[in-house]
Amino acid sequence: NAGVTQTPKFRILKIGQSMTLQCTQDMNHNYMYWYRQDPGMGLKLIYYSVGAGITDKGEVPNGYNVSRSTTEDFPLRLELAAPSQTSVYFCASSYSSLVYGYTFGSGTRLTVV
Amino acid sequence: DAKTTQPPSMDCAEGRAANLPCNHSTISGNEYVYWYRQIHSQGPQYIIHGLKNNETNEMASLIITEDRKSSTLILPHATLRDTAVYYCIVLNSGYALNFGKGTSLLVTP
């Protein structure tokens, strides 16, 4: 099993550009999440989804959009990139938040210049 | 979810037990205690979780006090590869993980 796969691993964007961070999981997990991690800080939740067609905002959703059309995929869209969005982005999934541990992807390191 | 408090950093000699404390005095009866770790720049890795009873798996042991207001993660024989940031998280079902700053554990030779 591949687990949670994130692409790309690295990306440099110019201010005002847009991009989509891809996240795919092959474990048939219902729950999926996007986190960002700034240098020296813990992870902050951007958006999450409890199933296909259902998404909800986390702690820091501004400047981002998500969609969940399938169980496997949970892309994160950045519109009008800003330097404040320079961060490492992690996608995660879980079957159940209560019983099973979360599985994280290896991250996407994004720099906005 | 209940708030957790962890020391910002700890040291441990290689081969010795690493005991990482966590306070969660406002925990409610149906909230689990989860531990994750993050090795430099990688995605966080699930370690262990528990509700009331002490738990043990191949990675670690989790000791939860009887009043459930605190817990300790034990790495019985720490190695250099255990150097990481360790996060203690209290969680009820249906909510995403809320990570704080965790404890930065340095295992020294």
Side-chain angles (χ1 to χ4, degrees):
Chain A
N1 282 343
V4 177
T5 302
Q6 291 184 237
T7 56
K9 293 191 183 303
F10 303 93
R11 183 72 185 269
I12 298 175
L13 277 183
K14 293 184 178 179
I15 294 171
Q17 287 185 322
S18 300
M19 75 164 294
T20 299
L21 281 67
Q22 301 291 344
C23 176
T24 299
Q25 53 92 7
D26 62 358
M27 298 170 285
N28 202 32
H29 284 172
N30 294 324
Y31 293 70
M32 295 189 75
Y33 313 84
W34 274 106
Y35 288 87
R36 60 175 286 174
Q37 185 174 34
D38 298 334
M41 306 296 288
L43 284 76
K44 293 186 177 180
L45 182 66
I46 305 171
Y47 271 96
Y48 67 100
S49 168
V50 300
I54 305 170
T55 62
D56 209 346
K57 297 178 180 179
E59 183 182 358
V60 289
N62 291 343
Y64 307 94
N65 281 300
V66 293
S67 60
R68 184 94 183 272
S69 57
T70 66
T71 299
E72 296 78 19
D73 301 309
F74 191 40
L76 178 71
R77 178 83 177 161
L78 278 72
E79 304 282 1
L80 299 174
S84 61
Q85 293 177 305
T86 294
S87 191
V88 180
Y89 292 84
F90 291 102
C91 178
S93 72
S94 66
Y95 180 75
S96 161
S97 63
L98 184 59
V99 178
Y100 295 94
Y102 289 43
T103 301
F104 279 81
S106 58
T108 295
R109 186 174 298 273
L110 176 68
T111 303
V112 181
V113 296
Chain B
D1 299 330
K3 180 179 172 59
T4 61
T5 303
Q6 299 177 252
S9 63
M10 295 183 63
D11 292 345
C12 178
E14 188 177 21
R16 305 296 291 268
N19 297 290
L20 290 84
C22 180
N23 287 322
H24 31 79
S25 58
T26 61
I27 193 170
S28 63
N30 56 356
E31 288 182 316
Y32 280 69
V33 179
Y34 281 78
W35 283 85
Y36 282 76
R37 74 179 182 183
Q38 186 175 24
I39 297 171
H40 180 64
S41 297
Q42 298 179 18
Q45 176 190 25
Y46 166 78
I47 302 173
I48 198 168
H49 72 280
L51 183 62
K52 296 181 186 178
N53 301 320
N54 298 337
E55 302 287 345
T56 295
N57 63 20
E58 64 278 4
M59 291 183 67
S61 294
L62 174 61
I63 308 298
I64 302 174
T65 58
E66 192 169 343
D67 63 8
R68 303 210 324 123
K69 293 184 177 182
S70 66
S71 60
T72 301
L73 178 75
I74 300 173
L75 308 178
H77 305 286
T79 70
L80 299 179
R81 287 176 292 183
D82 291 322
T83 292
V85 178
Y86 288 78
Y87 298 98
C88 169
I89 302 163
V90 172
L91 177 67
N92 194 354
S93 64
Y95 295 93
L97 297 172
N98 288 314
F99 290 83
K101 291 189 177 182
T103 296
S104 179
L105 175 67
L106 176 64
V107 181
T108 57

